[in-house]
Amino acid sequence: MDRDALEMRPDAAADWPDRIYAVLKAQGITQVALVPDAGHSRLIKRCIADNEITVVTLTTEEEGIALLSGAWMGGVKGVLLMQSSGVGNCINMLSLPILHRTPMPMIVTMRGDYGEFNPAQIPMGNATQTVLEAMGTLVRRADVPEDVEACVDATIRMAFNTYRPTATLLGQRLIGAKTFGKD
């Protein structure tokens, strides 16, 4: 594969973040908990601009598990947006939605896989799916734009139909490998 293609950012014309937003709206999601992430930036901006969605910026990802569990008990449907490195912060807290049969849909942008330049991202990037599944989370993955909408829709439906944590992993082939100017 050509190096320039490997290091390209997602095309500004790519509409998969907008399709995720449309799924959130169609599924009645009214709360979005997140730790800011460049991979989710367009989706985050869409959610912030929507007066029907409450966006809560977290200091750490596991706060989102507690926040969205409480929201569900109060009749609010939410989703957690994070990067794969944040999954490690959630391991113990993922027992909460399992124990209380709480829907917990997560949309996770991947680091540490396709084209990663930062060696510190590799361990959690390689372990993300395994860790989530070990904690009882149903996981789907999208690596091409054509898979995003269906994966996110299935993830949200499964969470609210089965009362458990679910996740869509958005791979680096989709979002683009970050380089921060490193060659």
Side-chain angles (χ1 to χ4, degrees), residues 11 15 22 49-50 69-70 73 78 80-81 87 98 103 115 123 127-128 130 136 138 152 155 157 160 168-170 179:
D11 183 347
D15 70 345
D50 187 328
S69 293
M73 288 182 224
L80 177 58
L81 305 181
V87 169
I98 294 291
T128 298
T130 303
L138 301 173
V152 171
T155 292
R157 286 180 189 280
F160 291 104
T168 291
L169 307 183
L170 302 175
T179 64

Side-chain angles (χ1 to χ4, degrees), residues 10-169:
D11 183 347
D15 70 345
W16 59 264
D18 300 323
R19 286 187 277 138
I20 293 174
Y21 171 77
V23 169
L24 299 183
K25 294 297 288 183
Q27 292 289 341
I29 300 297
T30 58
Q31 187 163 75
V32 176
L34 60 92
V35 171
D37 170 51
H40 282 304
S41 63
R42 188 156 147 194
L43 175 59
I44 292 168
K45 288 174 187 172
R46 294 288 313 266
C47 292
I48 288 170
D50 187 328
N51 291 329
E52 295 176 353
I53 296 178
T54 301
V55 176
V56 180
T57 303
L58 310 166
T59 57
T60 184
E61 294 81 1
E62 67 267 29
E63 291 175 348
I65 305 288
L67 177 80
L68 293 176
S69 293
W72 173 251
M73 288 182 224
V76 174
K77 291 174 74 173
V79 67
L80 177 58
L81 305 181
M82 67 177 137
Q83 190 179 90
S84 57
S85 55
V87 169
N89 296 334
C90 295
I91 295 169
N92 190 49
M93 197 60 139
L94 281 167
S95 64
L96 185 67
I98 294 291
L99 291 171
H100 295 283
R101 294 188 40 93
T102 305
M104 189 60 54
M106 298 171 273
I107 304 172
V108 181
T109 55
M110 292 301 295
R111 291 290 308 270
D113 67 9
Y114 190 81
E116 181 63 55
F117 85 95
N118 183 349
Q121 293 286 351
I122 303 293
M124 195 62 226
N126 283 332
T128 298
Q129 184 163 348
T130 303
V131 165
L132 286 169
E133 289 173 340
M135 292 305 297
T137 302
L138 301 173
V139 179
R140 299 294 172 262
R141 184 178 172 109
D143 285 305
V144 295
E146 298 77 28
D147 292 343
V148 173
E149 185 174 5
C151 281
V152 171
D153 186 63
T155 292
I156 293 171
R157 286 180 189 280
M158 286 189 306
F160 291 104
N161 289 338
T162 65
Y163 304 100
R164 64 184 302 146
T166 62
T168 291
L169 307 183

